[in-house]
Amino acid sequence: MLILSIESSCDETSVAVTDGRKVLSNIVSTQIEEHKIYGGVVPEIASRRHTENISAVCRAAIKKAGIEYKDLDAVAVTFAPGLIGALLVGVNFAKGLSYTLGIPLIPVHHLRSHIAANYITNENLKPPFLCLTVSGGNTLLTKVEDYTVFKPIGKTMDDAAGECLDKAARCMGLSYPGGVNIDKIATEADTKKYPLPYPKTENKFDFSFSGLKTAIVNITHNAAQKKEEIDVPVLAATVRQKVCDILIDKTMSAVREENAKTVVIAGGVSANSELRERMLKKCREEGIKLYFPELKYCGDNAAMVGVQAFYEYESGNIASLDLNAAATLPIDYR
Ligand code: KG4
């Protein structure tokens, strides 16, 4: 089943052609350079660039896949959650294609597609499994009971892990997207030099990163007031270690409580080198199977949308032309 998929939820305009779990093309046009000067994504600029880029990205995806529009069986699109203006560009473009080509329109939830990035990389992976989804806007622990059946068991009460890393990086003078730059520059953590809080949450599987974010803001502000230098590689390593401590502790205790045999990590922060290394070690020790997406599928891309769309279609999730975008929507909305 040939699906043309579209992703425009944040600052990447991406179009892919997929056939089941097979990726025929996956074109990603990133706006990172433009948003860098503002230290984060400017929603209005993101929407404008999506509008300018989407036709060319779509043509490139069709060309790279070696197909023609008439060969397509369906069009899929990320419709939620994300930046509303950015999402609307993709949704309207997808509706236009669906209408003119006379093919079904498949709505895809952004976090479901991040999880599906793992199906591209790991051929044999299938539900049920426990999934930690960590991105710039979300941190979520979910039981994935089937390809389209999700049971969230923990979520962030405030900021996402990626947002905390991005903000920490900004305070340290590192450029956007900060999570990647923290990962690159981090050396040895020194928790005595830079003590950071471990958040408490009422539900043991929920997350909270705002206290950690504030602690880093305070450390850097206090140093600036006293005209002291921050040891950036050490603070970066300390922050990375704390974020990983939180993510790993919660995931592994959910694994034990839910008696999960397979763990999947998804989303932009799943590219983090310390998270990968430590999770691999932990899961090996406890006899748990662990899966990550390939690095090129960790960030936002349309290939993962196409793969999830295949399963959404099989489960009967087809939209009509009045499909709207939504800035927020739980993963188990349906
Ligand atoms: O999934 P994603 O591309 O976009 C959203 O859907 O939010 O995630 C972006 C987030 C950013 O916060 C970025 O800093 C973080 O993923 N990120 C990383 C790494 N690569 C990207 N965080 C930590 N370590 C990395 N290597």
Side-chain angles (χ1 to χ4, degrees):
M1 178 180 185
L2 279 186
I3 299 179
L4 181 124
S5 50
I6 298 166
E7 156 61 33
S8 68
S9 66
C10 191
D11 58 347
E12 264 92 29
T13 317
S14 180
V15 180
V17 178
T18 52
D19 184 1
R21 288 181 174 210
K22 202 167 141 218
V23 180
L24 273 62
S25 67
N26 181 39
I27 308 293
V28 183
S29 165
T30 182
Q31 309 169 3
I32 283 179
E33 284 308 314
E34 193 164 359
H35 295 290
K36 234 179 206 170
I37 50 172
Y38 304 102
V41 178
V42 182
E44 174 63 19
I45 294 178
S47 314
R48 282 168 189 264
R49 295 298 165 263
H50 287 312
T51 309
E52 286 163 11
N53 294 339
I54 198 158
S55 299
V57 173
C58 184
R59 277 197 299 274
I62 291 280
K63 191 170 173 207
K64 180 97 189 283
I67 60 151
E68 293 179 36
Y69 284 101
K70 67 174 171 46
D71 301 325
L72 291 170
D73 296 303
V75 57
V77 64
T78 308
F79 76 108
L83 301 174
I84 193 70
L87 286 166
L88 278 167
V89 177
V91 167
N92 284 314
F93 194 83
K95 282 188 198 177
L97 278 177
S98 163
Y99 180 69
T100 47
L101 298 172
I103 53 177
L105 175 65
I106 310 170
V108 179
H109 188 285
H110 185 53
L111 297 186
R112 293 186 181 195
S113 67
H114 266 303
I115 296 171
N118 281 278
Y119 302 139
I120 305 172
T121 306
N122 308 294
E123 259 177 37
N124 301 321
L125 174 65
K126 51 180 191 221
F129 53 78
L130 187 89
C131 185
L132 170 71
T133 311
V134 255
S135 67
N138 293 277
T139 309
L140 191 68
L141 261 175
T142 321
K143 287 201 282 177
V144 181
E145 295 185 343
D146 206 340
Y147 292 105
T148 55
V149 182
F150 301 83
K151 294 270 156 66
I153 56 168
K155 62 176 186 315
T156 183
M157 305 313 294
D158 38 58
D159 298 326
E163 190 188 332
C164 173
L165 287 167
D166 291 344
K167 178 73 182 187
R170 200 157 131 188
C171 293
M172 290 181 239
L174 302 173
S175 69
Y176 174 82
V180 192
N181 293 318
I182 284 192
D183 204 15
K184 279 189 191 148
I185 202 172
T187 49
E188 276 298 293
D190 184 345
T191 49
K192 288 212 176 69
K193 185 165 186 179
Y194 299 117
L196 295 172
Y198 191 101
K200 285 203 179 77
T201 51
E202 229 174 282
N203 166 2
K204 61 181 177 229
F205 298 140
D206 280 343
F207 300 87
S208 165
F209 290 99
S210 67
L212 188 53
K213 199 170 91 173
T214 308
I216 299 152
V217 171
N218 288 341
I219 289 172
T220 50
H221 278 184
N222 289 345
Q225 275 171 352
K226 291 183 197 157
K227 301 205 174 355
E228 286 170 4
E229 284 278 312
I230 286 282
D231 188 338
V232 174
V234 172
L235 181 56
T238 313
V239 174
R240 182 177 68 174
Q241 186 185 70
K242 185 63 77 175
V243 169
C244 288
D245 287 349
I246 299 163
L247 295 174
I248 296 168
D249 287 355
K250 303 248 175 189
T251 306
M252 293 313 289
S253 65
V255 164
R256 284 173 215 122
E257 188 154 315
E258 297 293 336
N259 202 17
K261 302 279 176 273
T262 306
V263 179
V264 167
I265 316 283
V269 182
S270 70
N272 188 266
S273 60
E274 181 171 335
L275 181 65
R276 286 180 171 240
E277 233 169 77
R278 286 175 56 190
M279 277 301 289
L280 270 172
K281 188 161 175 280
K282 268 256 172 277
C283 288
R284 204 174 294 136
E285 281 165 9
E286 302 201 18
I288 308 289
K289 278 194 199 142
L290 175 70
Y291 295 91
F292 287 105
E294 235 172 298
L295 286 179
K296 67 175 174 185
Y297 294 123
C298 286
D300 292 344
N301 68 87
M304 65 187 193
V305 179
V307 173
Q308 181 60 27
F310 172 68
Y311 295 112
E312 297 290 342
Y313 181 82
E314 284 205 322
S315 79
N317 188 6
I318 295 164
S320 53
L321 289 178
D322 63 0
L323 174 71
N324 204 354
T328 57
L329 188 74
I331 195 167
D332 56 343
Y333 73 98
R334 173 180 194 274

